[in-house]
Amino acid sequence: LISELNKVKLDYSSSSGLKIVSRAKMPRPARPAEKIVLGLSMEDKTIARYVKKELSMEDFLDEGIRLVLQELFASMDKGEEFTITKIIHKLNSDAATSLICEALTTAENMVDKEKSLKDCIFKIREDNLNFKKEELLTRIREAERSGDAETAMGLLKELQKLDDIKKVLKNSAALKF
């Protein structure tokens, strides 16, 4: 890993990789499950294909992880051999390099990578459902406060569907790898 990273030379001649973000708009740190999935995907093409099949880019909340995975999947789709060095060089970002290093370091310490991957995919899906549920509950409260019973009922039906999906998710936690 270190030897791969030493081969990378970032181009600082343009500011395209730099963004100034106000504190209020700073992205949330990556969820640990997302970092593990990224690291495992970068280590093994079979895992990367499985992740691409099981999760969509929208499932990843961290934009940095999404960006790295998009590049990884694009390389795979083109039939190119992907290496960590190529991806880091193409993204040309200190933040991406740091994220990749963290993800690979985390994944490297996994004893049972297949189980870890399945657990992380389950956790990402579960967290996303919980996030959608919280959004719906907020919208239901707003509809009730404004006296819009019809909208509140429609949102309650959506909430019930999410609960049903969550039950199915828990029952199908044994993903086939």
Side-chain angles (χ1 to χ4, degrees):
L1 176 66
I2 300 296
S3 65
E4 286 283 318
L5 291 174
N6 286 334
K7 296 176 190 175
V8 175
K9 293 192 182 189
L10 296 177
D11 178 12
Y12 293 102
S13 62
S14 72
S15 64
S16 63
L18 301 175
K19 287 184 182 176
I20 298 173
V21 180
S22 72
R23 268 240 186 259
K25 293 183 180 181
M26 286 186 71
R28 294 182 313 149
R31 296 182 289 185
E34 290 183 10
K35 278 188 185 175
I36 293 168
V37 168
L38 173 63
L40 292 173
S41 296
M42 294 195 76
E43 281 185 346
D44 186 334
K45 253 193 232 186
T46 305
I47 289 175
R49 279 190 214 93
Y50 181 75
V51 168
K52 184 178 179 189
K53 184 183 86 175
E54 290 295 322
L55 296 171
S56 71
M57 285 298 115
E58 292 77 34
D59 289 326
F60 295 93
L61 298 182
D62 185 273
E63 287 183 41
I65 288 177
R66 201 179 304 158
L67 183 68
V68 174
L69 284 173
Q70 284 172 338
E71 188 58 44
L72 176 71
F73 295 156
S75 295
M76 287 173 39
D77 290 344
K78 293 176 189 170
E80 297 174 355
E81 186 64 32
F82 69 84
T83 64
I84 296 163
T85 305
K86 283 182 184 177
I87 291 173
I88 289 173
H89 184 69
K90 187 156 187 172
L91 294 174
N92 195 25
S93 159
D94 288 340
T97 302
S98 176
L99 181 62
I100 289 168
C101 290
E102 287 177 45
L104 287 169
T105 302
T106 303
E108 187 176 61
N109 296 325
M110 297 288 133
V111 176
D112 186 350
K113 294 183 184 209
E114 187 176 318
K115 182 177 180 341
S116 296
L117 177 67
K118 290 176 182 179
D119 290 348
C120 287
I121 289 173
F122 176 81
K123 181 68 174 152
I124 289 168
R125 287 178 175 162
E126 184 180 49
D127 286 352
N128 289 346
L129 284 173
N130 288 336
F131 180 71
K132 287 176 185 174
K133 185 176 180 177
E134 288 302 315
E135 280 183 334
L136 277 175
L137 288 170
T138 300
R139 290 174 57 201
I140 290 168
R141 284 190 285 273
E142 289 171 1
E144 288 173 343
R145 272 194 293 262
S146 67
D148 190 351
E150 188 177 329
T151 300
M153 288 304 293
L155 293 171
L156 281 170
K157 287 179 184 177
E158 284 184 50
L159 184 62
Q160 182 60 45
K161 287 179 188 175
L162 275 183
D163 286 338
D164 293 343
I165 292 170
K166 195 168 183 177
K167 287 176 191 171
V168 169
L169 178 64
K170 285 189 180 199
N171 292 333
S172 66
L175 298 169
K176 291 182 176 40
F177 186 66

